[in-house]
Amino acid sequence: MDALKPKKFIIITILKMKLNLKFYIVICLLSLLGHAQEPLPDNPKIGLVLSGGGAKGLAHIGVLKVIDSLGVRVDYIGGTSMGSAVGGLYAAGYTGKQLDSIFRGIDFDVLLGDKVPRPSKTFQERINSEKYGISLPINDFKIQLPSSISRGQNLFNLFTKLTLDVTAISDFSQLPIPFYCMATDIETGASVVLDSGNLAEAISISSTLPTLFHPLERDGALLMDGGIANNYPIEYLKTKNLDFIIGVSVEEDLLTKEEINSISDILAQINNFRSAEDLEVKIQLTDLFIEPDVEDFSIISFNKGAKIIKSGEVSVTPFLSQLKAIAKTQDYRKARKKIIDLDSLKFSKVKIVGNEKYTDSYVFGKLRFRRGETISFKDFSSGVNNLLATNNFESFRYQFSPLSNDSYNFTGNVKETTNTTLLKLGVHYDKVLKSSLLLNLTKKQFLLKNDVLSLDFILG
């Protein structure tokens, strides 16, 4: 009889588990039913969260185009990485169609590469850029790899140009649509909310893809792409007293074992573990979750932007009835953003901070403008290229502060380069030397602040 007791216990336990499972399912169904029956209030407040994903994030533009066409009003936006770029510009007043036109007109090779135009370079820099293909920093007699491919200066210039009319707004909750974006503290790995300051700088930081762009310093912290720590920042929208939240995610799915064929695949899989797990939880916080089909594209497929944007438009189709119901209660149409004149920028006051080795006169001499002058943004950008072509500065960030007389106060923040020694490599072929390896050792500030020692070696 004692031998039968364990079996009886097992049977009772299984029955309890079945009852508990049925009870759990009933509770979930009742909860879902109650949620589904809860009507939206008239004129509901709508939140929108846009994930990161590099070029895949261009699908957000397609989603916004449909949202605009239906007349859905967005009351708060949160974004990460490419989601912060699209979301930040939308929050600044651009429509989905305007964003479509802007991004289709961008040369992403120039934007991401930070190539300085040839006329902006010194004579010696022009020669070296044509002879040498690789440039490696030397620190304490050790050859190092560069920290990034690009400074991200062209990206910052673009965002500044597009947000110049809202540059006076330092509290992002006061933008045409309240906004925040995410960054990652590289020192601690913590997620950082950017909801104030310079909008162009904030979305530049949030879009700073690892290895492609150099990390940026803000308030003493070294920050870069927000998607590293939080690629779908919906939790902050949940605190904004909203009635309905729309989420758009272009995150990569985890690879199957058949798809993992290289080191890069393994690294990508490891990187996606955390974000994939987080997304599953955060989807439950989303009232309407949209996931564009972007599996055929990569994070650098900017040359396929038109197709990616179209995939975003198509992804909204299953949710048209819900969005139309929302739009019907809002009675709203987003107006096109008025584009301001960028051909006559006048500076009342100008100031440079962060320079220690180089004088204000040197910096403004490269920028080619002075206080009281009127220039176009195109000429201003050319001046920035002149400054960076010296390779004396790691970064140049600036702020336009508008005044009542249609002029601006200008503050430029330079970060002088700490690495002054470079090893440059190149390959050459001619009929005399045949194939040869070119080496160059460049030492800046060898004796004076603005001198250059350059030694060339030819092995062949």
Side-chain angles (χ1 to χ4, degrees):
M1 291 295 293
D2 291 339
L4 294 175
K5 287 183 179 179
K7 293 182 180 179
K8 183 177 180 181
F9 175 76
I10 290 171
I11 292 171
I12 292 172
T13 301
I14 291 174
L15 288 173
K16 286 183 177 180
M17 288 175 62
K18 288 183 176 181
L19 288 172
N20 288 338
L21 180 60
K22 288 179 180 179
F23 177 75
Y24 177 75
I25 292 173
V26 169
I27 292 297
C28 288
L29 289 174
L30 289 174
S31 176
L32 290 172
L33 184 61
H35 180 74
Q37 289 178 342
E38 184 179 342
L40 281 173
D42 290 336
N43 195 22
K45 292 183 177 180
I46 306 299
L48 176 66
V49 58
L50 304 175
S51 80
K56 295 182 178 185
L58 293 173
H60 296 318
I61 297 175
V63 174
L64 291 174
K65 287 174 67 176
V66 177
I67 285 177
D68 286 348
S69 69
L70 296 175
V72 175
R73 185 193 68 244
V74 176
D75 298 283
Y76 222 113
I77 300 177
T80 287
S81 194
M82 193 60 169
S84 74
V86 175
L89 295 178
Y90 190 76
Y94 290 95
T95 65
K97 284 187 177 180
Q98 285 178 304
L99 292 178
D100 190 345
S101 299
I102 289 169
F103 279 89
R104 286 177 189 261
I106 293 174
D107 185 338
F108 282 96
D109 290 334
V110 175
L111 181 70
L112 303 179
D114 254 5
K115 294 179 181 178
V116 176
R118 192 174 186 273
S120 298
K121 299 178 181 179
T122 63
F123 177 74
Q124 188 63 40
E125 286 290 346
R126 293 177 194 174
I127 295 176
N128 286 345
S129 64
E130 293 168 358
K131 289 172 60 176
Y132 304 105
I134 300 174
S135 183
L136 301 175
I138 298 178
N139 191 15
D140 292 334
F141 302 100
K142 296 179 181 179
I143 299 175
Q144 300 176 331
L145 292 176
S147 60
S148 63
I149 297 173
S150 169
R151 295 187 186 98
Q153 187 66 49
N154 288 341
L155 191 68
F156 178 75
N157 291 347
L158 174 66
F159 289 145
T160 298
K161 176 182 176 182
L162 295 174
T163 61
L164 196 58
D165 64 324
V166 295
T167 189
I169 302 175
S170 59
D171 180 355
F172 298 166
S173 67
Q174 301 302 311
L175 289 168
I177 301 175
F179 170 75
Y180 67 84
C181 60
M182 308 305 299
T184 301
D185 188 325
I186 292 301
E187 186 176 8
T188 65
S191 183
V192 179
V193 180
L194 304 179
D195 57 6
S196 62
N198 184 341
L199 179 61
E201 181 185 55
I203 56 182
S204 294
I205 291 173
S206 184
S207 306
T208 305
L209 292 171
T211 69
L212 179 58
F213 295 126
H214 190 73
L216 298 174
E217 190 170 340
R218 171 170 158 149
D219 298 330
L222 195 61
L223 305 176
M224 63 185 319
D225 195 295
I228 300 172
N230 190 343
N231 204 38
Y232 188 78
I234 190 175
E235 59 271 32
Y236 302 99
L237 275 183
K238 298 295 287 186
T239 67
K240 303 301 180 182
N241 193 29
L242 300 166
D243 299 307
F244 195 85
I245 296 180
I246 301 170
V248 187
S249 174
V250 290
E251 288 192 30
E252 293 186 15
D253 294 329
L254 292 176
L255 301 174
T256 64
K257 62 181 181 181
E258 290 78 17
E259 294 173 321
I260 301 175
N261 299 310
S262 65
I263 293 177
S264 61
D265 291 338
I266 294 174
L267 292 176
Q269 185 81 337
I270 294 172
N271 183 62
N272 289 337
F273 280 147
R274 177 180 174 182
S275 61
E277 183 178 351
D278 287 347
L279 182 62
E280 288 300 318
V281 175
K282 293 180 178 182
I283 289 176
Q284 307 305 317
L285 304 176
T286 312
D287 297 297
L288 194 156
F289 182 72
I290 301 173
E291 193 171 23
D293 183 6
V294 288
E295 288 188 1
D296 294 335
F297 309 102
S298 72
I299 61 173
I300 57 172
S301 297
F302 292 102
N303 60 328
K304 299 178 181 177
K307 293 182 179 178
I308 298 175
I309 292 172
K310 185 63 178 178
S311 70
E313 295 180 45
V314 173
S315 67
V316 188
T317 303
F319 311 102
L320 289 178
S321 59
Q322 290 173 269
L323 293 174
K324 286 179 180 178
I326 293 172
K328 187 176 180 180
T329 67
Q330 290 183 323
D331 190 23
Y332 170 81
R333 287 290 173 184
K334 184 168 186 176
R336 287 177 59 85
K337 182 181 180 71
K338 183 180 179 181
I339 307 302
I340 65 172
D341 180 20
L342 296 175
D343 292 330
S344 56
L345 302 177
K346 184 177 180 179
F347 300 109
S348 294
K349 293 183 180 180
V350 293
K351 182 173 67 172
I352 298 295
V353 297
N355 52 322
E356 297 178 359
K357 298 178 182 177
Y358 300 94
T359 65
D360 290 2
S361 298
Y362 174 84
V363 175
F364 281 115
K366 295 298 181 182
L367 291 174
R368 297 177 181 174
F369 72 85
R370 292 287 190 275
R371 180 174 65 85
E373 292 184 353
T374 299
I375 63 172
S376 68
F377 193 88
K378 181 179 180 181
D379 290 339
F380 170 79
S381 298
S382 177
V384 173
N385 284 330
N386 290 331
L387 181 67
L388 294 180
T390 64
N391 287 320
N392 293 326
F393 304 95
E394 289 184 9
S395 66
F396 179 60
R397 295 294 181 262
Y398 48 86
Q399 173 80 42
F400 294 91
S401 301
L403 303 174
S404 57
N405 59 353
D406 293 330
S407 64
Y408 297 89
N409 286 338
F410 174 83
T411 302
N413 191 331
V414 297
K415 183 177 181 181
E416 297 174 345
T417 182
T418 56
N419 197 317
T420 58
T421 307
L422 295 172
L423 176 64
K424 301 178 182 181
L425 307 174
V427 178
H428 176 74
Y429 178 83
D430 60 34
K431 293 183 179 180
V432 178
L433 297 175
K434 304 299 181 181
S435 297
S436 57
L437 176 65
L438 306 180
L439 300 176
N440 171 271
L441 182 65
T442 297
K443 172 63 178 177
K444 293 199 170 188
Q445 303 168 20
F446 182 61
L447 296 174
L448 304 174
K449 290 182 179 180
N450 201 32
D451 66 0
V452 178
L453 173 66
S454 181
L455 302 175
D456 291 311
F457 303 90
I458 300 177
L459 304 178

